[in-house]
Amino acid sequence: MRGRLVLNGATEIRGSLGEISGTHVSNATAIWLQTMVPLSAGDTVELQGYFRGADGYFAAEHTTFWGTKIG
């Protein structure tokens, strides 16, 4: 399973690519993506995911996004 964060639908946010290649034991696997990026009013951040060996999905109701204003 691989995931990345994309800014405004087009630009991969540097440092946000993460991958887990271990076997799935409980039918629920977590991937932690963490980075910092300056955002402007109206910017969007999107999670994009890819599964290599099996079908899967990223559940919106179990996906959390948060940020902090610095400065």
Side-chain angles (χ1 to χ4, degrees):
M1 176 171 73
R2 177 182 291 184
R4 70 180 186 167
L5 300 175
V6 177
L7 180 63
N8 296 325
T11 306
E12 181 179 319
I13 298 174
R14 186 178 177 134
S16 71
L17 181 65
E19 183 173 12
I20 295 174
S21 59
T23 58
H24 301 289
V25 177
S26 65
N27 293 326
T29 300
I31 187 168
W32 181 274
L33 305 177
Q34 179 177 317
T35 191
M36 291 182 67
V37 64
L39 299 174
S40 299
D43 281 347
T44 61
V45 176
E46 173 185 338
L47 169 65
Q48 292 182 345
Y50 170 73
F51 292 85
R52 242 186 305 172
D55 291 335
Y57 64 96
F58 292 87
E61 65 274 8
H62 297 289
T63 300
T64 305
F65 175 82
W66 66 93
T68 300
K69 182 178 179 183
I70 300 173

